[in-house]
Every structure is written in C-alpha cells, then in structure tokens.
Amino acid sequence: MHFLLGYLHEEGLGTPQDMALAYQFYIKGAEQDDAKCMNNLGSMYERGTGVAKDLAEAQKWYERAAELGNEDALANVERVREKLNTKKK
C-alpha cells in the first residue's frame, strides 16, 4: 500500500506530484520491510529527486532491498557501486 501511494505521488498519477509525500510513504513502507519502497528510496537518493543526491545513502537502500530479494535493486547496487568507485579515482 505504501509503495503504491508513494509511486502515485512521485509520478503525479491521479494526484499532484509531491516528492516529499512520496518520500514519506516510501519511508513508512521501508519501516515495514517493503523492498519496493526501499528500492525507490534508493532511486530518489541516486537521482537527487525530492532529497539531496547521496550515492552512499542510495547504495544503503538498494542493498537493503536486494537483501529482501528485490531483483531491480540488485542491478541498482552494482550501478551505484561503480559510480562510487569512479568518484574515488
């Protein structure tokens, strides 16, 4: 439920786009171990949409989602890891 509400507000589907509200719904879902919410939090941090861009925070959320079996998060973890490694060089 939190994922759907977050997604609708993030995309502005049937409701005005509201990234802050989307974030709140995703956080509530993440607190209940919703891997889709965690993956979308990672995406928000990776892109800097609705929150300050923070690749380390994105990686944290992607890793938590991946641990719960979210396949999209597995690919996202690798992509962010590469970005972080490139930044260090």
Side-chain angles (χ1 to χ4, degrees), residues 1-58:
M1 169 121 168
H2 290 106
F3 170 77
L4 179 59
L5 291 171
Y7 182 78
L8 293 174
H9 284 88
E10 182 178 5
E11 298 297 324
L13 300 172
T15 185
Q17 187 177 37
D18 186 336
M19 299 305 280
L21 196 52
Y23 179 84
Q24 290 176 8
F25 280 119
Y26 291 148
I27 285 289
K28 287 182 187 280
E31 289 170 352
Q32 297 175 7
D33 289 333
D34 184 323
K36 287 183 180 179
C37 287
M38 292 175 189
N39 188 61
N40 281 26
L41 284 168
S43 179
M44 291 179 82
Y45 279 106
E46 182 180 2
R47 295 178 289 143
T49 53
V51 295
K53 186 174 181 173
D54 184 338
L55 293 178
E57 189 71 11

Side-chain angles (χ1 to χ4, degrees), residues 59 63 76-86:
Q59 183 178 17
E63 286 175 349
N76 294 336
V77 166
E78 291 304 316
R79 185 183 60 251
V80 169
R81 191 171 288 144
E82 288 177 17
K83 287 181 181 180
L84 286 168
N85 287 337
T86 301

